[in-house]
Amino acid sequence: MNGTTILRAVINNNKQHPRFSYSFSNSPLLSHSSYNIDIGTCIATLQSCANTTNLSKGKELHTHILKSGFLASSPQAITSLINMYSKCSLINHALKVFNFPTHHDKNVFAYNAVIAGFVANGLFQNGFGLYRQMRHMGIVPDKYTFPCVIRACGDAVEGLEAKKIHGLLFKLGLELDVFVGSALVNTYLKFGLMEEAHKVFDELPVRDVVLWNSMVNGYAQIGRFEEALDVFGRMVENGVVPCRYAVTGVLSIFSVVEDFDNGTVVHGFVIKMGYDSSVVISNALIDMYGKCKCVSDALNVFEVMDEKDIFSWNSIISVHERCGDHYGTLRLFDRMLGNRVQPDLVTVTAVLPACTHLAALMHGREIHGYMTVNGLGKDGSGGGAFDDVLLNNALMDMYAKCGNMRDARMVFDHMREKDVASWNIMITGYGMHGYGDEALDTLSHMCQAQIVPNEVSFVGLLSACSHAGMVKEGLEFLAEMESKYGVSPSIEHYTCVIDMLCRAGKIAEGYDLVIKMPFKADPVGWRALLAACRLHKDTDLAEIAANKVIELEPGHCGNYVLMSNVYGVVGRYEEVSKMRHTMKQQNVKKRPGCSWIELMTGVHVFITGDRTHHQTDYIYAGLNSLTAVLHEHGYVPLI
């Protein structure tokens, strides 16, 4: 979340420049131009066209210049045309003007204009190549040449070229120019040449806020946060008031290191300077508070923003999802849609996990449909697939966790590329919903596709055997995991098998496995055994399991609740009271239960005893009627 003038990543362009098919002599404007203006007016108007990217007006002026013969007599007209086409992102037209046959040799101004056009349009290698041509032609570069040429240094080899350029600057007496120096600082920082960057910075007699900002953000970009903050401190000490870009750079550092205290200090400075009206800075503050897990502070910044862009919505939505507030994530997403802000890929990748956790199938389907209709992440094959494997995996996981294996399978089948996580999601999804045969079949196809199963694959597979009651198959997989598939069983795999045995009523075998497995049993395994004891009313084994799990995890309320329920189902209510008393003595509190339901009006979340919903009376009347019917059929409430 950085609105600063940080060094942009340089893109190497190894392709030759495309052939130019545009012909000025064929322009329909040539035969209709009625201009009768002098060259000075043409040049001034071209500059205006460049600033406003008014291409149609610029082409008309080009036509007039050609017809009037100004192109052959005015080098400045050539430069102005090149600049206009470059600003309008038509670098091929600019190069056509540059190569147009005239009576004048190409001068430094024309070269500067084309090099600047290449760099501004991301064609760094072309720009650097033209600089070399310029030097070969004996044309001496000036202070306007070097900032663009230095920016065009895009790889390690050209990083060495930057040092050569630095030497040439001394020869030409330009080493103290602030714009050239700023470009050198940025380039040296980009290549990790810290000493060189600092040397240039310290030798410059004038350091404007842009140069200070370059140093701060250059260090921040390469992860040298202490140096970045040190430069920022020196900047303040030298009486240079940090601009908005410097502030966003420093906030990005505090976001990464999760420094809440210093982040709030900068927030105070932002308010004092009136920078809080900047959308970019507000977005950076939201990100900083979010990374520090201060959701309420992030939301406060968001709510007071007069204008919110897509980055603002994405930031606040991501903050809620990152902090586990899935309900808040969907609520903000609904607000975003209500404000007619169009989601992008960042939005959907933040919201899909919330749909997954809340099993909000309607929201998930709507997001999937929106992505399909608007082509977000499309691979262009027309087969309904998306380009990003991670995006497809998120969709599959959402459908699987929402219980819709049919749509999960549809996404899976349309994927052109699948990684091991893709297969694991399907295996786990089938297992979660009791489709044991489908889970085993998916593993078989996974191996046929030469995708090697990993530990997660077998956690899903053994869980599938557990839910489907496939005890024999589960035991076979545990025995063959290492020899046949090369995956060593871990405690998670043994826990799945313990759960499988307990679900099948083989409590004694489950207990034997807990005792004999090559790992010290963790609380999850003991709790699985304890839950089975409640189901099968085995209080003796339950007491053993409860003692073990309470010893391992004394602060977990579920241990006490499970044991209390064991006593409750066999009618030993004195022990139930003792267990509750023990919980109070140990200061263990049962976390209130939470449930939610997705309706057409959105996702509604409730905790135990919740009376905040606007239809509370109607809801509780329905629950009381339902409870009365359950009591008639012998239902006994547990704690």
Side-chain angles (χ1 to χ4, degrees):
M1 287 269 309
N2 201 329
T4 57
T5 54
I6 300 175
L7 291 171
R8 294 195 302 176
V10 177
I11 303 170
N12 288 322
N13 189 335
N14 296 318
K15 298 178 181 178
Q16 292 185 347
H17 203 281
R19 296 177 63 186
F20 305 118
S21 58
Y22 182 83
S23 172
F24 296 116
S25 61
N26 294 329
S27 170
L29 294 170
L30 281 174
S31 58
H32 296 90
S33 177
S34 59
Y35 283 99
N36 187 19
I37 55 177
D38 60 24
I39 186 62
T41 306
C42 283
I43 291 170
T45 309
L46 278 172
Q47 183 61 47
S48 175
C49 292
N51 294 335
T52 59
T53 62
N54 189 342
L55 180 60
S56 61
K57 187 76 171 178
K59 282 185 175 181
E60 290 181 13
L61 287 165
H62 189 180
T63 300
H64 176 70
I65 289 171
L66 282 170
K67 292 182 69 176
S68 303
F70 293 152
L71 204 61
S73 60
S74 174
Q76 196 173 358
I78 295 173
T79 304
S80 298
L81 279 169
I82 292 170
N83 181 51
M84 184 274 295
Y85 281 121
S86 297
K87 292 288 179 62
C88 292
S89 301
L90 289 175
I91 189 64
N92 55 338
H93 288 37
L95 198 59
K96 183 79 171 180
V97 173
F98 179 75
N99 290 322
F100 194 81
T102 69
H103 299 296
H104 295 276
D105 293 331
K106 298 180 180 71
N107 59 24
V108 65
F109 306 109
Y111 272 101
N112 286 352
V114 180
I115 291 171
F118 276 132
V119 173
N121 287 276
L123 302 171
F124 301 106
Q125 190 173 4
N126 300 68
F128 202 85
L130 195 62
Y131 165 73
R132 285 176 171 152
Q133 176 188 320
M134 173 185 182
R135 297 285 292 136
H136 181 73
M137 297 294 292
I139 297 173
V140 180
D142 61 14
K143 65 179 183 179
Y144 300 106
T145 313
F146 289 111
C148 290
V149 172
I150 292 168
R151 279 186 61 201
C153 296
D155 55 30
V157 174
E158 289 166 357
L160 297 175
E161 290 288 345
K163 289 187 176 182
K164 293 180 183 179
I165 292 171
H166 195 175
L168 180 59
L169 290 172
F170 282 99
K171 183 178 178 180
L172 298 176
L174 297 173
E175 74 279 5
L176 300 181
D177 183 87
V178 66
F179 296 104
V180 176
S182 181
L184 267 176
V185 167
N186 277 282
T187 298
Y188 280 144
L189 287 171
K190 178 176 63 181
F191 291 113
L193 302 172
M194 312 310 301
E195 292 183 7
E196 289 84 348
H198 231 115
K199 184 177 180 181
V200 174
F201 179 78
D202 288 336
E203 289 177 353
L204 286 171
V206 178
R207 305 182 193 119
D208 63 3
V209 67
V210 175
L211 188 56
W212 283 100
N213 189 49
S214 296
M215 286 294 289
V216 171
N217 289 290
Y219 275 121
Q221 278 255 306
I222 60 174
R224 302 279 287 269
F225 301 130
E226 289 186 10
E227 289 93 333
L229 294 175
D230 179 64
V231 173
F232 184 77
R234 286 175 56 195
M235 176 181 182
V236 176
E237 290 171 5
N238 278 265
V240 180
V241 179
C243 65
R244 289 174 170 83
Y245 296 122
V247 170
T248 52
V250 171
L251 283 173
S252 70
I253 296 171
F254 294 144
S255 295
V256 173
V257 300
E258 299 179 10
D259 189 341
F260 173 79
D261 294 332
N262 281 313
T264 55
V265 171
V266 174
H267 190 180
F269 172 80
V270 164
I271 295 172
K272 181 180 178 181
M273 297 300 296
Y275 291 166
D276 51 330
S277 60
S278 167
V279 174
V280 173
I281 287 185
S282 293
N283 292 346
L285 283 167
I286 292 170
D287 186 58
M288 182 274 295
Y289 282 125
K291 295 287 175 59
C292 296
K293 295 181 172 57
C294 298
V295 181
S296 59
D297 293 300
L299 192 59
N300 287 338
V301 174
F302 177 79
E303 296 293 4
V304 299
M305 291 175 69
D306 293 326
E307 295 182 13
K308 303 175 179 71
D309 60 13
I310 181 66
F311 304 105
S312 313
W313 286 100
N314 285 346
S315 294
I316 195 64
I317 286 172
S318 298
V319 164
H320 280 75
E321 182 57 26
R322 195 161 50 237
C323 295
D325 185 3
H326 311 301
Y327 175 59
T329 300
L330 289 188
R331 191 175 63 245
L332 282 163
F333 179 65
D334 288 339
R335 276 183 60 189
M336 177 181 178
L337 296 178
N339 280 270
R340 300 185 181 281
V341 179
Q342 295 297 310
D344 60 9
L345 273 178
V346 176
T347 318
V348 299
T349 52
V351 176
L352 274 175
C355 299
T356 301
H357 283 93
L358 294 177
L361 180 59
M362 283 189 287
H363 273 77
R365 274 182 169 159
E366 288 172 359
I367 292 169
H368 189 182
Y370 176 85
M371 292 164 62
T372 303
V373 169
N374 291 278
L376 293 182
K378 291 289 285 186
D379 65 1
S381 66
F386 295 93
D387 211 15
D388 193 337
V389 174
L390 295 177
L391 188 59
N392 283 308
N393 288 348
L395 280 168
M396 275 195 301
D397 193 45
M398 180 274 296
Y399 280 125
K401 296 284 177 59
C402 291
N404 190 334
M405 289 308 299
R406 183 182 64 84
D407 284 345
R409 183 73 194 207
M410 179 193 69
V411 175
F412 181 80
D413 288 340
H414 279 103
M415 290 175 67
R416 291 191 299 178
E417 293 185 18
K418 303 177 180 71
D419 61 8
V420 66
S422 312
W423 293 91
N424 288 346
I425 290 168
M426 291 303 296
I427 291 171
T428 304
Y430 280 131
M432 186 188 309
H433 301 294
Y435 300 113
D437 290 332
E438 287 82 353
L440 270 61
D441 187 57
T442 302
L443 178 72
S444 176
H445 284 92
M446 179 182 184
C447 295
Q448 290 173 16
Q450 298 185 337
I451 302 293
V452 179
N454 60 14
E455 294 84 356
V456 178
S457 310
F458 283 98
V459 169
L461 195 70
L462 291 171
S463 178
C465 293
S466 175
H467 285 83
M470 302 168 69
V471 177
K472 178 183 176 183
E473 292 84 349
L475 292 173
E476 288 176 354
F477 276 117
L478 182 67
E480 296 176 350
M481 274 176 59
E482 188 164 14
S483 60
K484 188 174 180 179
Y485 299 98
V487 178
S488 299
S490 67
I491 191 167
E492 287 81 8
H493 300 115
Y494 277 96
T495 301
C496 287
V497 176
I498 292 166
D499 182 63
M500 176 187 70
L501 292 169
C502 291
R503 282 175 181 268
K506 299 178 180 292
I507 302 177
E509 294 179 32
Y511 176 70
D512 288 341
L513 187 58
V514 170
I515 299 301
K516 295 177 181 178
M517 67 179 182
F519 303 97
K520 183 179 179 180
D522 64 358
V524 178
W526 284 112
R527 261 196 298 274
L529 189 64
L530 183 54
C533 292
R534 182 192 69 81
L535 184 64
H536 297 282
K537 302 180 182 180
D538 189 334
T539 54
D540 293 336
L541 190 53
E543 288 175 341
I544 296 173
N547 289 333
K548 288 288 186 181
V549 77
I550 290 173
E551 178 186 332
L552 291 169
E553 208 169 17
H556 195 291
C557 65
N559 307 329
Y560 303 91
V561 172
L562 280 172
M563 193 62 222
S564 179
N565 289 341
V566 170
Y567 289 133
V569 295
V570 295
R572 294 169 60 176
Y573 297 111
E574 288 185 10
E575 282 82 353
V576 171
S577 298
K578 288 180 182 178
M579 189 59 63
R580 290 178 175 176
H581 180 66
T582 302
M583 288 179 68
K584 289 181 181 179
Q585 284 185 322
Q586 299 294 326
N587 197 29
V588 177
K589 296 181 180 179
K590 184 178 182 296
R591 291 189 295 271
C594 178
S595 60
W596 55 88
I597 183 170
E598 185 186 26
L599 303 174
M600 296 300 293
T601 54
V603 177
H604 300 260
V605 178
F606 304 91
I607 61 172
T608 302
D610 192 349
R611 292 188 175 273
T612 59
H613 197 274
H614 65 281
Q615 289 186 300
T616 292
D617 294 338
Y618 178 77
I619 292 169
Y620 274 96
L623 287 174
N624 290 335
S625 297
L626 181 61
T627 304
V629 174
L630 290 171
H631 275 297
E632 290 175 3
H633 289 77
Y635 168 73
V636 178
L638 303 174
I639 68 167

